[in-house]
Amino acid sequence: MSETDDLDAWLDANAALLGITVAPEWRDAVRLHLRITREHAQHVMDFELPDDADPAPVFHA
Amino acid sequence: MTDLAWASATSIAAAVASGETTAATVIDQTLARIAQRNPLLNAFTAITAERARSRAVSIDAARAAGKSIGPLAGVPFAVKNLIDIADLPTLAGSRINRAHPPATADATLISRLEAAGAVLVGALNMGEYAYDFTGENSHDGPSRNPHDITRMTGGSSGGSGGAVAGGMVPIALGSDTNGSIRVPASFCGIFGLKPTFSRLSRAGSFPFVSSLDHLGPFARNTADLACAYDAMLGPDPRDPVCADRDAEPVGPSVAAGITGLRIACAGGYFRSGASAEVMAAMDNVAAALDAKRQIELPEAARARRSLCHHHIGRGRSAFGPLAQAAMRIRSRRARPADRRCHGSGCLGGAGTKIPPLVSRRRVAAVP
């Protein structure tokens, strides 16, 4: 399966789950967005986090 | 005050306070200027003329009666259309929000500016759901850069930048989740303030990412920016993250300029990928501020990408719910104990109290 097929399958599955219609003329832009999102996600996931890492949700300044 | 279009907010307020002019005159001239310039600049999506005139009459009456009229008396301002204005639907730049019922009350920041004597004259154009950087809106048309109308204002608070830089109002409000005040302020050659998180209430504004959303002012000089900021400061029970601390006004220290401030440039990631022209402009600003030190923030590239995902997951883009689900899976991988935790907001450890979901726009009025 090529990367485009892969993204198309993702796009179709998500659209069906969310109950939205993606018009044919939008597909290229949506696919591009998904590709960038996936690349960004991979970069973030590549960072090694220890199991005891905790977010810091409270900010004071 | 010969040219009201370029008058500062503080000089307008002084002229109204001294009786050199009236709030009604200021507002009439402002509305006339908006009618003349807005067809070209497309900064406004709604003009609250009747409300503004009525408010101006009240200010003039209060002055005539010897009452206090506030540090921004008669100063016109406008707000990005994601900030609630009573009786108007809050668009957030989108088409589908147009069918929403009108807001039942003004946002906190509008109430505070009006309590200081300022006069709301309208709502401002923005990128759809603030997802742009350009100030271009598919439904309302692009906001235009007053310095060159063939150029973008930058976004997402494009109308805020255009309205202030175009001489239509001296003060505007915008919002910044990922640059949306900083970008148009820069592109339009004016000042914008993304305040420290939690200093200004977001109550009555359309939410995108709670932990990153900021509201803030635009102005053509720093004294006006400080005056608007100071008028809006202070705790607000309608926004749960608004700092519960006394207001710390900055107006008194503005005249000191940069004396005593430590300013450094961000290096590393922030010096990569930019054109020579951009680098030269940045170096020019750094030299003007005498900023010689360079600091490097670790993992900035990854943090930025993580931020993008945070936007997608917590925001309202089409695939948001699934990205959010993916983020929860990611957070549980980091914290095995969290597998026991179900429902929204599961980022804490087992036993962590999960805050209830709150609405910034639908909290009952606080007495």
Side-chain angles (χ1 to χ4, degrees), chain A residues 3-26:
Chain A
E3 191 198 43
T4 299
D5 293 339
D6 187 15
L7 288 170
D8 276 327
W10 191 19
L11 193 163
D12 289 334
N14 279 328
L17 279 167
L18 293 167
I20 57 177
T21 305
V22 179
E25 62 270 28
W26 303 345

Side-chain angles (χ1 to χ4, degrees), chain B residues 60-96:
Chain B
D60 290 333
R63 182 182 177 277
K67 295 178 185 159
S68 164
I69 52 174
L72 289 168
V75 174
F77 74 101
V79 302
K80 186 175 185 176
N81 73 30
L82 58 68
I83 295 174
D84 285 355
I85 297 174
D87 302 326
L88 289 179
T90 304
L91 304 183
S94 78
R95 189 171 72 173
I96 54 181

